[in-house]
Amino acid sequence: MSSAFNRLFRLQKRLWLALVIVALGALLAWLDQRDTRDAAPDPGARAQEPGHVIDNAELKRYDETGRLTQRLASPHIIHTPQQAMTRLKTPRATLIDSRQRQWQATANTGTLDEQQRLMLEGDARLTAPNEGWQLDTQRLYYDSATRHAWSDTPVTLQQPPQRMRAQRLDAWLDTGKVRLTDQVRGYHPPTTASPEDTP
């Protein structure tokens, strides 16, 4: 009789222990679900989310008088409002100075910040078709308000057959003034007189 009672007591003890474990598991699952629903969104993750994705777009910028100062075309544009940043794939820019001269700029990637400053990166090139010169660098910045272009990476400026290299460049489109700084080296072949110039 006492052994049957002991077995029944052990069985009830195990049953109660199993019920407590199941109840505790259900309570933990409910609390975990509630924490997930009540969790605030991660602002860092939201800052990376694109607000707009545009394919084959052209952006235009005008000055305060309504004159076109910049055209920017890209096959793929991603704008992230939380960062006030626009990313551009293989951008092609036309930069227009105060005398309406057009300067062409290209690169592998580009960004526009909240001040609308353009940064071109990866095989960045700026050309002045009318003047016949070309600038090559890895990173080129451009501020359309001041029409100032600059690079803090090594640059090559050429107007064949002349060629100049430097570590940094500043160019002001309105005046056509260019300043090369740090380790400036150049190649300037002598000009040869043409047959018409010889007496």
Side-chain angles (χ1 to χ4, degrees):
M1 179 85 172
S2 92
S3 67
F5 179 74
N6 282 342
R7 274 186 292 199
L8 181 64
F9 179 71
R10 274 187 263 154
L11 184 62
Q12 281 182 332
K13 192 175 177 184
R14 287 184 187 153
L15 184 62
W16 277 108
L17 186 58
L19 286 172
V20 167
I21 290 172
V22 168
L24 186 59
L27 177 64
L28 289 173
W30 178 76
L31 287 173
D32 187 48
Q33 253 186 347
R34 186 166 170 230
D35 284 347
T36 304
R37 273 184 279 141
D38 294 343
D42 179 9
R46 284 189 54 83
Q48 303 298 324
E49 292 178 6
H52 309 286
V53 177
I54 307 166
D55 287 330
N56 300 317
E58 184 176 79
L59 308 174
K60 294 181 180 179
R61 183 174 172 85
Y62 297 88
D63 65 13
E64 59 279 351
T65 65
R67 290 196 342 177
L68 182 66
T69 61
Q70 181 176 306
R71 269 193 321 269
L72 188 56
S74 171
H76 191 69
I77 296 175
I78 298 174
H79 178 65
T80 309
Q82 291 85 354
Q83 295 178 334
M85 184 72 66
T86 303
R87 289 177 176 77
L88 311 141
K89 180 181 176 185
T90 58
R92 295 178 323 277
T94 301
L95 313 173
I96 303 167
D97 67 19
S98 59
R99 291 186 275 171
Q100 298 301 294
R101 292 179 299 181
Q102 296 188 6
W103 309 68
Q104 306 300 318
T106 59
N108 296 334
T109 62
T111 56
L112 275 172
D113 66 13
E114 58 187 355
Q115 283 87 31
Q116 295 298 306
R117 279 187 305 240
L118 176 64
M119 189 208 32
L120 300 172
E121 195 162 23
D123 297 327
R125 175 171 286 174
L126 178 65
T127 59
N130 294 340
E131 286 76 18
W133 63 260
Q134 172 182 303
L135 164 74
D136 292 290
T137 185
Q138 282 304 305
R139 188 168 46 244
L140 180 69
Y141 299 91
Y142 180 68
D143 186 337
S144 63
T146 59
R147 295 185 181 96
H148 174 215
W150 70 97
S151 177
D152 53 9
T153 58
V155 298
T156 301
L157 179 65
Q158 54 188 332
Q159 185 178 32
Q162 300 177 67
R163 186 172 57 251
M164 300 280 291
R165 290 199 174 114
Q167 295 299 308
R168 180 177 165 80
L169 169 133
D170 288 276
W172 292 268
L173 273 54
D174 283 348
T175 62
K177 182 177 171 185
V178 175
R179 181 176 64 208
L180 297 164
T181 52
D182 297 335
Q183 299 178 24
V184 179
R185 297 179 307 280
Y187 171 71
H188 303 280
T191 57
T192 56
S194 66
E196 293 85 22
D197 295 334
T198 56

